[in-house]
Amino acid sequence: MALVKFDNVATNKYDVEVSVDAKTFNDACDKAYKKNVKKINVPGFRVGKAPRKIIEKMYGATVFYDDAIEAVYPKALSEAIEEAKLDVIAVEALEPVEANTEKGLVFKATCVTKPVVTVKDYKGIKATKTVKTIAAAEVNAEIDKMRERNGRMVTVEDRATKTGDTVNFDFTGAIDGEPFDGGEAENYTLKIGSGQFIPGFEEQMVGKKVGEEFDVKVTFPEEYHAEDLKGKEAVFTCNIHEIKATELPAADDEFAKDVSEFDTLKELKADVKAKLVKAQEQMMEVEVENQLLDTVVENMEGEIPEVMYEKRIDELARDFEYRLSSQGMNMDMYMQYTGMDQKAIREQFRPQAEKQVKTRLALEKIVELENIEPSEEDIEAEYNKLAERYKMEADKVKALVPVEELKKDLAVNKAIDFLKENAEIEEVKVKKTTAKKSTAKKSTKKEDTEDTTEETKEESAETATEEASDAE
């Protein structure tokens, strides 16, 4: 292989001309012959036994050139790019200039290179960090979620349906008095309020009793996946067989023992609050990072090749398709349900792809300007973290993840830390507003009264603490 020449033909675009010696090209043609000979019929020879020269005489001297070029160009181009010291991100076109077994191969590749960008004023960026106190009501809301997860279903016989109930029922749908495909089912289970059915259906099931036959009148949305049902009015005749409600456990010490390693509800609440505080802090840190990165991208200049956006869109689309498959759906089904085509889906990913590409380029530039490098300890720690995440041995992870790629990612993360360390971050406290007194009927249950009293005490204590802090 030899680099013949390379010319800058446009911004971020080079024509690279490469030569491959005659022996290498001839050997590639011979491999192409051996690969294809069994598929070529030559009169007078058994299938797969015709000599290469006979086939070339019969079909032309260039019969194996395409396969040979395909075999030799990747290595040859890679070496030429390295010699030219080009940071190539895509090969846009490839064309032979000359090819024969006596002189070898000369080809030209149009290569897109990574753009050169500039980033200004990335130190001293101003950002706002919101500091919010976790209220007792938020802790109690988490406790309520835990109660719901540990609730049990009980059959209801003495009342009509409510939002949140789970019903077992039959339904038969009709449009203009005529049944339609997929419009009926028996013993169907639905949680009222889940949003599983089209708008308006579940709301009309509230207040109905077991054995009561009733009609639900709805209109299919204009964007409904079935073409023949879009915008159509339909009537569903329904009959409920069973109503079930979720019975929640009381929020007390016994509940805390059942669902956690704590002995008291007070300890469980303290743990829940600590986790909420940590999650809140992480969320606020992400908000600060986003503000800083948005400013860095605004201050970046450079012409970015379209192929970088397209490649990132490809990656996002593949990730999305993988997530769909994990939910038992594929892209064809998704397009059918949403009425979107491949182009529309790709356009959805474009803003995200553009932002991610620009952000990465800006951070890589800061890495370069500030000579940011991860230490050996950082690299080893990251490999161990990946090994733990994927339940693999660290050596296997090292074999799968090239160290140079890992170093680039770590350096980019360090660039984000650099931005935060050199930013002007103003903390803004969000004052918690005490919840208004409920006008609901007072509870007669002892545990409910105690819980409300405890919440009021916690709210009052937190408010007093905040006021004292503000006064300081």
Side-chain angles (χ1 to χ4, degrees):
M1 186 287 301
L3 172 65
V4 178
K5 62 177 181 177
F6 64 99
D7 300 315
N8 187 194
V9 294
T11 304
N12 306 316
K13 193 171 291 188
Y14 285 80
D15 278 348
V16 181
E17 196 167 303
V18 188
S19 68
V20 177
D21 63 85
K23 183 181 182 307
T24 301
F25 186 60
N26 193 51
D27 289 345
C29 288
D30 196 49
K31 288 181 181 178
Y33 155 73
K34 291 174 181 176
K35 175 185 173 184
N36 293 290
V37 65
K38 292 181 180 179
K39 297 180 286 185
I40 300 174
N41 291 319
V42 177
F45 293 90
R46 285 182 295 159
V47 176
K49 298 298 181 180
R52 174 182 161 186
K53 289 189 180 298
I54 297 295
I55 295 173
E56 289 175 339
K57 187 175 181 179
M58 182 174 180
Y59 290 96
T62 63
V63 64
F64 299 118
Y65 281 13
D66 285 347
D67 283 351
I69 292 170
E70 191 69 26
V72 300
Y73 98 81
K75 184 173 184 293
L77 180 58
S78 177
E79 291 175 1
I81 287 170
E82 187 175 349
E83 185 178 337
K85 294 182 170 56
L86 297 176
D87 193 352
V88 174
I89 57 175
V91 178
E92 204 170 66
L94 185 78
E95 62 174 309
V97 176
E98 181 183 23
N100 60 68
T101 53
E102 286 82 29
K103 294 183 179 180
L105 168 71
V106 177
F107 67 88
K108 183 175 72 174
T110 302
C111 301
V112 181
T113 57
K114 186 176 178 179
V116 177
V117 300
T118 59
V119 181
K120 300 180 295 183
D121 304 325
Y122 57 87
K123 294 179 184 178
I125 299 174
K126 294 183 179 180
T128 302
K129 180 179 179 180
T130 306
V131 180
K132 176 178 172 291
T133 304
I134 299 298
E138 294 172 83
V139 175
N140 288 328
E142 290 299 313
I143 296 294
D144 286 342
K145 290 178 185 177
M146 297 172 71
R147 292 171 66 197
E148 288 174 9
R149 289 195 295 270
N150 289 274
R152 65 189 185 95
M153 299 293 289
V154 294
T155 301
V156 176
E157 297 177 345
D158 59 347
R159 65 166 174 80
T161 57
K162 296 180 180 179
T163 299
D165 287 344
T166 298
V167 296
N168 180 278
F169 71 115
D170 301 338
F171 63 85
T172 302
I175 296 175
D176 295 331
E178 293 294 326
F180 57 90
D181 290 340
E184 65 176 302
E186 293 183 355
N187 295 311
Y188 193 92
T189 300
L190 171 69
K191 183 173 182 178
I192 300 176
S194 64
Q196 187 177 338
F197 279 29
I198 60 175
F201 192 107
E202 295 172 33
E203 292 86 341
Q204 295 179 58
M205 297 193 71
V206 174
K208 308 302 180 184
K209 295 183 177 179
V210 171
E212 177 184 355
E213 188 173 285
F214 58 94
D215 288 341
V216 169
K217 298 178 181 178
V218 292
T219 301
F220 283 94
E222 291 293 340
E223 65 275 11
Y224 196 69
H225 62 84
E227 284 291 334
D228 57 334
L229 299 178
K230 288 182 177 180
K232 298 287 183 67
E233 293 183 357
V235 177
F236 289 86
T237 300
C238 306
N239 192 322
I240 296 176
H241 300 305
E242 185 180 48
I243 303 171
K244 286 191 173 183
T246 304
E247 187 176 83
L248 303 181
D252 54 22
D253 291 346
E254 288 303 314
F255 171 72
K257 291 176 184 177
D258 289 340
V259 300
S260 71
E261 69 271 28
F262 302 106
D263 292 327
T264 66
L265 181 62
K266 185 176 181 180
E267 290 174 310
L268 175 58
K269 284 187 173 185
D271 181 68
V272 168
K273 182 171 183 177
K275 289 175 180 175
L276 288 174
V277 168
K278 184 178 179 180
Q280 177 75 16
E281 178 63 25
Q282 289 173 341
M283 187 171 69
M284 293 303 103
E285 284 296 321
V286 170
E287 276 192 18
V288 168
E289 286 180 9
N290 287 337
Q291 291 176 55
L292 298 175
L293 292 174
D294 286 345
T295 302
V296 166
V297 168
E298 287 174 11
N299 293 342
M300 183 183 75
E301 294 178 358
E303 190 173 326
I304 302 173
E306 176 64 21
V307 68
M308 293 192 76
Y309 297 140
E310 290 296 326
K311 286 176 73 173
R312 186 60 190 140
I313 290 171
D314 289 341
E315 293 166 358
L316 292 172
R318 280 197 298 271
D319 289 345
F320 181 65
E321 193 161 8
Y322 175 78
R323 291 198 301 273
L324 286 178
S325 66
S326 67
Q327 298 168 12
M329 188 182 292
N330 58 37
M331 192 65 82
D332 288 338
M333 292 169 62
Y334 179 79
M335 288 191 291
Q336 181 182 349
Y337 287 138
T338 60
M340 300 173 71
D341 57 16
Q342 286 280 4
K343 184 179 179 181
I345 291 172
R346 290 181 67 82
E347 281 303 311
Q348 274 194 334
F349 290 127
R350 175 164 285 275
Q352 183 183 355
E354 290 186 357
K355 183 175 181 179
Q356 289 177 353
V357 168
K358 290 176 181 178
T359 300
R360 179 79 182 201
L361 287 170
L363 289 172
E364 287 178 347
K365 188 63 180 179
I366 293 171
V367 167
E368 177 192 329
L369 293 170
E370 298 298 330
N371 296 314
I372 297 173
E373 286 188 13
S375 66
E376 291 300 321
E377 291 77 10
D378 293 332
I379 295 168
E380 195 63 29
E382 187 65 18
Y383 272 127
N384 290 332
K385 190 187 297 182
L386 291 171
E388 185 177 345
R389 182 186 304 168
Y390 296 109
K391 310 300 180 187
M392 296 173 64
E393 294 178 7
D395 289 341
K396 290 184 179 179
V397 176
K398 289 177 181 179
L400 292 171
V401 183
V403 66
E404 289 305 315
E405 293 302 315
L406 188 73
K407 286 170 71 173
K408 287 179 183 177
D409 291 341
L410 287 173
V412 163
N413 289 334
K414 282 182 170 292
I416 297 174
D417 294 337
F418 178 87
L419 289 174
K420 288 194 287 187
E421 290 164 6
N422 290 274
E424 295 180 17
I425 301 173
E426 179 187 4
E427 290 193 355
V428 177
K429 289 186 178 181
V430 176
K431 290 189 177 181
K432 179 178 84 275
T433 55
T434 306
K436 293 180 180 179
K437 292 182 179 179
S438 173
T439 56
K441 183 179 178 181
K442 291 183 180 180
S443 172
T444 56
K445 291 185 179 180
K446 184 172 181 275
E447 62 267 22
D448 286 350
T449 306
E450 289 175 349
D451 193 55
T452 304
T453 305
E454 185 66 27
E455 181 178 340
T456 304
K457 287 179 182 177
E458 291 174 16
E459 294 279 3
S460 299
E462 286 179 5
T463 303
T465 304
E466 287 177 20
E467 289 173 351
S469 177
D470 290 342
E472 292 175 5

